């Protein structure tokens, strides 16, 4: 739970266990040393809450604008009233009331009030169409300014589930090696075994029922398939069955450096080959990382997984900065450090261990394929966990903010023209005055044009 690794980590006597630790076989005595608010999970919840509380509320563009707008309109209306009252033609106080009311009506900030919510609403709808769910307007406003993306590895860059990588046979054919191993592995519930069985099924190999299946946690499995003694596991298991895995040692080391888990296979007391399983990259990841790089963003990987695997994945994707073996509190510390250096940071992750960092980043981006905790801590969810969604979200953010500015600009321009006319500045020259009725009509039309402009966001082109 705390590292997000795709393969279970073995525990032995005396080890500390946390939520999501599973008892594979045999008896287990656990002593609770921390309960309630002292548990690791409660502390993560605490970190999330703290990060959310410490967010400075963003003062919205429209709020700032509205504050001065309201003051200005009242000032103009009051001035109109007195100027007409004291200096206007008779009946001067009737003119004063009508014109002051016209000013207030034409300045009714409907367009101003609609300017940003309409853009945000249409943008959220557009995002939902392409698998990007925004939880709040703030995320839309902030995303375009992001310059750094911190990514989790397992489940974010990768599928988060081990899959067959390669088989190196010694004596048998590759299919036969896989068939024997998968036949035995059918009896195992280990994720690595599941990956082997899935690959055998994909190749339509005919599996046989194993006999005398025996599993030693952390070492491997043994049993008989069609009369042959099969052992699948690590070097320790090979020693136990009297097989020297040295001929495959170099291959195994190379695969491990690439981040794969390696299992040796022995058949009837002889080395038959090795099988490698690894957590594959999502198909969309390389394109997404390349696009983020092209957009000038720097990408930092922070994973609870070991450094070997972390570097292996980072090398393939061209990610320059890698942090491995990080705990949940380290992830949020990294976010805070980068923010303190003046970076605007987005965090993308899927796990419980990512939750504090998701809540603490300028924008938290959760994978829809991940945990509920991650999604509720983040402001943006990528529905299928497709990282290209970040690029789309940024495009939506930039277009939406531009649209909001156009709307605000329009609402302003409109008032800058309408309010003086309603106040009667043209009266001395042309005798033109707006009745409150005409003012109301004009005010409505300005709202319509703001809505129409916002709707253009719905057809935003996002196919990169
Ligand atoms: Mg993860």
């Amino acid at each position: 739970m705390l590292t997000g690794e795709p393969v279970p980590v073995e525990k032995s006597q005396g080890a500390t266990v946390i939520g999501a630790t599973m008892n594979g076989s045999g008896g287990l005595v656990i002593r609770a040393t921390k309960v309630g608010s002292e548990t690791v999970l409660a502390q993560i919840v605490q970190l999330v809450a703290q990060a959310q509380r410490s967010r400075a509320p963003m003062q919205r563009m429209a709020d700032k604008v509205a504050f001065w707008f309201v003051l200005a309109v009242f000032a103009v209306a009051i001035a109109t009233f007195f100027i007409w009252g004291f200096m206007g033609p008779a009946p001067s106080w009737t003119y004063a009331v009508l014109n002051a009311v016209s000013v207030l009506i034409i300045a009714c900030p409907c367009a101003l009030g609609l300017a940003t919510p309409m853009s945000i609403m249409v943008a959220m709808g557009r995002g939902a169409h392409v698998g990007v769910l925004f939880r709040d307007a703030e995320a839309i406003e902030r995303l375009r300014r992001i310059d750094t993306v911190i990514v989790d590895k397992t489940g974010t860059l990768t599928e988060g589930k081990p899959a067959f990588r390669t088989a190196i046979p010694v004596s048998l054919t590759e299919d036969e090696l896989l068939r024997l191993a998968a036949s035995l592995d059918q009896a195992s519930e280990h994720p690595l075994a599941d990956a082997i069985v899935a690959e055998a099924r994909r190749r339509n190999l005919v599996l046989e029922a194993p006999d005398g299946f025996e599993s030693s946690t952390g070492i491997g499995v043994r049993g008989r398939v069609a009369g042959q003694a099969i052992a699948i596991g690590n070097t320790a298991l090979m020693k136990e069955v009297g097989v020297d895995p040295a001929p495959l040692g170099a291959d195994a080391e190379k695969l491990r450096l690439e981040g794969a888990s390696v299992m040796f296979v022995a058949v009837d007391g002889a080395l038959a080959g090795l099988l490698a399983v690894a957590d594959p990259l999502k198909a969309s990841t390389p394109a997404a990382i390349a696009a983020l790089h092209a957009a000038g963003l720097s990408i930092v990987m922070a994973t609870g997984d070991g450094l070997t695997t972390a570097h292996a994945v980072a090398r393939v994707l061209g990610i320059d900065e890698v942090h491995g073996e990080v705990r949940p509190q380290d992830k949020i510390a990294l976010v805070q450090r980068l923010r303190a250096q003046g970076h605007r940071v987005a965090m993308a992750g899927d796990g419980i261990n990512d939750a504090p960092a998701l809540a603490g980043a300028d924008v938290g981006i959760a994978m829809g394929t991940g945990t509920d905790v991650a999604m509720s801590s983040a402001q943006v969810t990528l529905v299928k966990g497709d990282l290209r969604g970040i690029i789309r979200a940024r495009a939506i953010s930039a277009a939406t903010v531009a649209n909001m500015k156009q709307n605000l600009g329009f609402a302003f321009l409109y008032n800058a023209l309408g309010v003086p006319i309603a106040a009667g500045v043209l009266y001395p020259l042309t005798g033109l005055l707006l009745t409150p009725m005409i003012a109301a009509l004009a005010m409505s039309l300005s709202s319509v044009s703001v809505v129409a402009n916002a709707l253009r966001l719905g057809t935003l082109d996002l196919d990169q």
Side-chain angles (χ1 to χ4, degrees):
M1 181 180 81
L2 290 187
T3 62
E5 283 159 298
V7 178
V9 178
E10 307 295 346
K11 299 283 181 179
S12 54
Q13 195 171 359
T16 307
V17 298
I18 44 171
T21 299
M22 284 195 306
N23 181 22
S25 59
L28 179 67
V29 177
I30 302 174
R31 177 181 303 145
T33 55
K34 289 173 178 171
V35 294
S37 63
E38 294 175 330
T39 60
V40 174
L41 191 56
Q43 278 164 8
I44 290 181
V45 171
Q46 190 66 32
L47 278 175
V48 171
Q50 218 170 48
Q52 281 170 338
R53 269 199 306 272
S54 63
R55 289 184 81 97
M58 193 169 113
Q59 199 190 1
R60 295 211 192 297
M61 201 158 44
D63 292 344
K64 278 183 266 184
V65 167
F67 174 77
W68 293 107
F69 179 82
V70 170
L71 285 185
V73 166
F74 272 105
V76 171
I78 290 166
T80 303
F81 180 77
F82 285 111
I83 291 170
W84 278 94
F86 286 119
M87 298 161 66
S92 71
W93 290 103
T94 306
Y95 276 120
V97 170
L98 282 176
N99 291 339
V101 167
S102 290
V103 167
L104 289 176
I105 287 175
I106 206 158
C108 165
C110 284
L112 205 60
L114 282 169
T116 62
M118 271 308 289
S119 301
I120 295 285
M121 194 180 81
V122 177
M124 283 183 171
R126 184 72 190 105
H129 267 286
V130 293
V132 179
L133 305 182
F134 292 100
R135 211 171 54 172
D136 55 31
E138 201 180 287
I140 298 182
E141 293 193 30
R142 280 177 195 247
L143 249 171
R144 77 205 161 101
R145 290 196 188 276
I146 292 301
D147 59 27
T148 305
V149 183
I150 302 178
V151 286
D152 165 53
K153 180 181 69 69
T154 311
T156 303
L157 296 174
T158 69
E159 294 284 356
K161 214 178 138 212
F164 173 80
R165 169 80 155 270
T166 188
I168 304 180
V170 171
S171 48
L172 315 163
T173 64
E174 187 177 317
D175 277 358
E176 184 61 9
L177 175 68
L178 200 58
R179 192 182 73 85
L180 289 174
S183 295
L184 181 61
D185 270 342
Q186 287 179 102
S188 168
E189 36 190 42
H190 198 281
L192 296 183
D194 289 346
I196 301 293
V197 175
E199 176 65 12
R201 294 239 160 85
R202 200 185 61 79
R203 296 190 188 190
N204 293 320
L205 303 178
V206 181
L207 303 187
E208 285 169 61
D211 277 334
F213 176 82
E214 209 181 297
S215 148
S216 347
T217 307
I219 295 175
V221 294
R222 299 163 70 167
R224 299 188 76 80
V225 173
Q228 291 168 292
I230 314 284
I232 311 170
N234 60 15
T235 315
L237 180 73
M238 292 298 110
K239 267 201 189 105
E240 235 173 75
V241 298
V243 170
D244 180 13
L248 290 171
D251 290 315
E253 195 47 37
K254 187 169 160 286
L255 285 163
R256 282 198 196 101
L257 282 178
E258 288 169 11
S261 304
V262 176
M263 294 162 282
F264 296 106
V265 183
V267 177
D268 283 335
L271 186 64
L274 70 72
L275 297 169
V277 167
D279 182 15
L281 288 176
K282 290 179 188 170
S284 57
T285 298
I289 296 295
L292 287 170
H293 266 145
L297 297 168
S298 64
I299 302 167
V300 180
M301 184 201 282
T303 174
D305 217 340
L307 272 172
T308 312
T309 323
H311 277 294
V313 173
R315 217 175 303 124
V316 174
L317 292 172
I319 293 172
D320 344 87
E321 199 178 326
V322 180
H323 300 265
E325 288 163 19
V326 294
R327 298 165 299 167
Q329 56 267 46
D330 302 330
K331 286 202 187 193
I332 185 167
L334 177 66
V335 167
Q336 285 162 344
R337 197 169 68 236
L338 287 169
R339 288 188 69 189
Q341 287 167 8
H343 292 288
R344 291 164 196 269
V345 180
M347 164 79 200
D350 70 317
I352 296 173
N353 55 338
D354 300 316
L358 288 171
D362 287 295
V363 182
I365 302 168
M367 304 299 116
T369 46
T371 58
D372 290 346
V373 178
M375 278 183 266
S376 61
S377 304
Q379 296 154 295
V380 180
T381 297
L382 305 179
V383 172
K384 287 183 194 128
D386 182 343
L387 284 173
R388 284 174 299 185
I390 300 180
I391 302 287
R392 298 196 177 110
R394 265 171 58 89
I396 291 173
S397 168
T400 306
V401 173
N403 193 272
M404 287 183 335
K405 284 184 177 159
Q406 289 158 9
N407 281 350
L408 288 173
F410 184 82
F412 249 99
L413 180 74
Y414 170 81
N415 278 301
L417 296 175
V419 169
I421 295 173
V425 291
L426 294 180
Y427 183 80
L429 303 171
T430 63
L432 181 71
L433 276 180
L434 293 184
T435 65
M437 199 168 67
I438 299 294
L441 178 68
M443 187 269 294
S444 307
L445 287 176
S446 78
S447 300
V448 171
S449 51
V450 163
V451 170
N453 187 45
L455 286 175
R456 291 190 312 118
L457 277 177
T459 56
L460 184 66
D461 183 20
L462 292 170
D463 298 324
Q464 279 110 352

